Amino acid sequence: MIACTLALITVFHGFAEPPNDVLTNVAAVLSAVDQKEFGKRFELTAQALTPFGAKCPWDVLAVEDDSGAITMLRNQAPTNPPIISGDIVLVRGYVDLSQFAPSCARVSKIEHIRREKPPQSRQATASDIFAGKYDSRLVNIKGIVRDAFFDDVDSQFCVLVIDSCGGRINAVVPSKDIDHKRLDGLINAEVSISGLCLKTVSGIRRMNGRHIRVNDIKDITVLQTAKDSLFDTQNLEDLRTMSATDIANLGRRRVFGKVLAVWNRNNVLLKHAEKDIVRVELANGLSPAYGDRIEAVGFPETDLYFINLSRSVWKALKPTRDGLEPAEETSASRLLFDSAGQRQVQASYHGRAIRIRGTVRSVPSALDNGERIIVDDGGVNVPI
């Protein structure tokens, strides 16, 4: 009879008390993670700061209680009902190894207790976040979007570079409701962004450092649209007297001219101002075609041979097409070796139309998106 009564009391209150050696608040879990107490278990009731459900792309769960806030890795199947920001949850887990940090708190089970309003975001600047004041907290930051691009490693996300009070911080946003036009339209706009401040990344972008994770595009409010067009910037001049560091700090520059080549859908070789050859890496959208006349704006970089533009946007110029230069007959040996037979790429051919002849040794495969063949020209295999 006593055993039955105790069981009923436990069910009535919802959850049994955890053992004495189990951590029961966020501060204790943070300390155990910091001390690398691997295997140490925790069971705590806290408020969820991030959603957790079948449609949520994040692989972390952030929670807070009266003692602090923490972001934990999760490997549990979605809960029913799905957890949303503000919910009170019971979280069980343990301190574990992590490939992205010396140690982490890993969730093994989440149980939904009740719905509550999400906590208010804290007003912050980039310098506040980099100082560690708001790790694992919901923050709101205002600033100018200096760059915006789709993640080239994980297409589920895009990245906004926010200039806030002189400091720059990245905001990572799910890309499911964002197209190229909308993303480009955010550049140079003044915005207000709400999201979770993360100390480290849990995925591929290991060098991102402290950044903001935004749950939804709805958490970004445009306070003022861009005053100037992206194309209202300086032309790319002769930068050969500048160092690589000076070039990287220039900010956006503009190029214009004829497209000499397009490959991998987002790489363009452009003859700028009828003289300089510039490789343009496109950030978003469709690519131009061979022979098109375009204007492109991007960030100057150098590979120590040429000036290139990265994360660029482009538009067509009128007339949109230009005459194509005749191709010069040459050979792979002439392109890749010197007169003594030593390997030496002939850079003078950079940006010039050529024709080579040979035997096809391989055909396109699914691994290279069906865009590459190998041609044997006199014993030299050339990827095309």
Side-chain angles (χ1 to χ4, degrees), residues 83-195:
I83 290 168
I84 61 175
S85 180
D87 285 357
I88 304 301
V89 294
L90 177 72
V91 184
R92 297 185 178 95
Y94 55 95
V95 178
D96 194 14
L97 292 167
S98 169
Q99 67 183 112
F100 308 113
S103 57
C104 71
R106 189 177 299 277
V107 176
S108 57
K109 191 173 183 180
I110 309 169
E111 296 182 34
H112 184 272
I113 298 178
R114 65 180 183 274
R115 295 265 191 238
E116 284 199 8
K117 292 182 179 180
Q120 288 290 321
S121 298
R122 302 162 188 238
Q123 289 296 324
T125 64
S127 57
D128 292 334
I129 291 172
F130 287 128
K133 292 175 64 174
Y134 298 119
D135 289 348
S136 298
R137 301 286 190 180
L138 293 178
V139 297
N140 177 268
I141 189 169
K142 294 181 174 65
I144 307 296
V145 179
R146 294 304 184 191
D147 198 9
F149 52 93
F150 286 95
D151 193 318
D152 56 352
V153 174
D154 190 342
S155 60
Q156 292 185 94
F157 304 102
C158 56
V159 180
L160 307 183
V161 181
I162 311 298
D163 186 337
S164 172
C165 299
R168 293 197 176 187
I169 190 165
N170 290 348
V172 182
V173 188
S175 60
K176 61 183 178 67
D177 295 321
I178 304 177
D179 58 19
H180 298 290
K181 184 177 181 180
R182 186 174 188 181
L183 191 63
D184 290 343
L186 289 173
I187 298 176
N188 289 338
E190 183 181 0
V191 298
S192 171
I193 293 181
S194 296

Side-chain angles (χ1 to χ4, degrees), residues 211-283:
H211 62 288
I212 300 172
R213 281 199 174 180
V214 182
N215 288 331
D216 193 278
I217 187 64
K218 297 175 183 177
D219 296 322
I220 301 176
T221 302
V222 176
L223 303 177
Q224 184 172 338
T225 56
K227 296 179 180 179
D228 301 314
S229 165
L230 275 178
F231 295 90
D232 293 334
T233 188
Q234 298 179 51
N235 289 342
L236 182 68
E237 304 295 345
D238 187 350
L239 308 178
R240 282 172 288 188
T241 59
M242 300 181 68
S243 69
T245 301
D246 291 336
I247 292 170
N249 290 329
L250 281 175
R252 283 188 174 84
R253 288 294 187 271
R254 184 170 64 100
V255 295
F256 55 90
K258 182 173 64 178
V259 174
L260 302 176
V262 182
W263 69 100
N264 291 346
R265 294 186 175 88
N266 69 332
N267 283 273
V268 174
L269 203 63
L270 187 76
K271 191 170 186 179
H272 168 52
E274 300 302 324
K275 56 179 182 177
D276 296 322
I277 305 299
V278 179
R279 183 176 65 81
V280 179
E281 180 190 46
L282 303 177

Side-chain angles (χ1 to χ4, degrees), residues 41 43 59 74 102 116 118 126 158 163 171 173 226 252 275 292 300 369 371 376:
R41 306 197 70 81
E43 181 177 319
D59 56 358
R74 59 174 178 80
E116 284 199 8
C158 56
D163 186 337
V173 188
R252 283 188 174 84
K275 56 179 182 177
D292 284 354
N369 296 318
E371 295 179 349
D376 180 348

